[in-house]
C-alpha cells in the first residue's frame, strides 16, 4: 500500500509514479503481478480516478507497466529498468562531485562525508 503526502508540492500522480517505481525496482511487486484497478486505487488513496489513470499511463510510458485490454495493468518484467535507474543515479553522483570540485570541495572530502 502506498500513501500520498499532501504536504508534498509535487502533483499526486507524480507521487504515485515514484512510489510504485520504487516498489517495482525493490522487487516488492513481481513481474506479471496485476496492479490494483484504477477505481480501487483511487478509492484507497481518496483521489480522482483520472489522477491514478495518469500515473498508470506514465508508468506504462516509462516501461514499468503494460496493459492487457479488459484485464488491467500488470508489472513489466523488464530487468533493464533497474540498470537504467542505476546509470541515472551514477550520473547524478558524478554531477554532484563535479559541482563540489568546481566550488573547491575536493572529491576525497565529499566521499569521506558519506561514511
Amino acid at each position: 500500500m502506498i500513501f500520498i503526502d499532501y504536504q508534498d508540492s509535487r502533483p499526486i500522480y507524480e507521487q504515485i509514479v515514484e512510489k510504485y517505481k520504487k516498489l517495482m525496482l525493490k522487487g516488492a511487486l513481481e513481474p506479471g503481478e496485476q496492479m490494483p484497478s484504477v477505481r480501487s486505487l483511487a478509492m484507497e488513496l481518496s483521489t480522482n480516478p483520472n489522477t491514478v489513470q495518469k500515473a498508470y499511463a506514465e508508468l506504462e510510458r516509462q516501461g514499468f507497466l503494460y496493459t492487457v485490454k479488459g484485464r488491467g495493468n500488470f508489472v513489466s518484467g523488464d530487468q533493464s529498468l533497474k540498470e537504467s535507474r542505476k546509470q541515472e543515479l551514477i550520473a547524478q553522483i558524478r554531477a554532484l562531485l563535479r559541482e563540489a570540485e568546481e566550488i573547491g570541495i575536493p572529491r576525497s572530502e565529499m566521499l569521506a562525508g558519506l561514511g
Side-chain angles (χ1 to χ4, degrees):
M1 179 174 189
I2 64 169
F3 297 97
I4 300 301
D5 179 4
Y6 293 101
Q7 302 299 319
D8 193 330
S9 62
R10 292 174 303 150
I12 291 172
Y13 87 93
E14 285 182 9
Q15 293 182 50
I16 295 170
V17 168
E18 178 195 332
K19 291 177 186 203
Y20 271 114
K21 280 171 59 173
K22 284 183 181 178
L23 288 173
M24 291 174 203
L25 291 171
K26 285 192 318 189
L29 293 173
E30 299 286 325
E33 186 173 336
Q34 187 168 10
M35 297 290 287
S37 72
V38 170
R39 285 185 184 172
S40 67
L41 185 59
M43 285 179 57
E44 186 178 313
L45 299 176
S46 299
T47 190
N48 189 307
N50 292 334
T51 302
V52 174
Q53 183 58 47
K54 187 173 183 177
Y56 278 9
E58 180 61 22
L59 286 165
E60 186 172 4
R61 188 189 69 74
Q62 293 180 21
F64 286 90
L65 292 181
Y66 64 93
T67 302
V68 177
K69 291 275 186 203
R71 298 227 26 241
N73 296 291
F74 296 84
V75 177
S76 171
D78 189 352
Q79 294 301 315
S80 67
L81 295 172
K82 192 168 195 169
E83 182 62 29
S84 174
R85 182 63 180 142
K86 176 182 166 186
Q87 294 306 318
E88 289 173 16
L89 292 171
I90 289 171
Q92 290 174 358
I93 291 168
R94 285 186 177 142
L96 288 171
L97 290 172
R98 259 193 315 277
E99 182 180 340
E101 287 177 345
E102 288 173 3
I103 62 171
I105 303 170
R107 180 176 291 220
S108 58
E109 189 178 326
M110 289 293 294
L111 295 174
L114 297 176

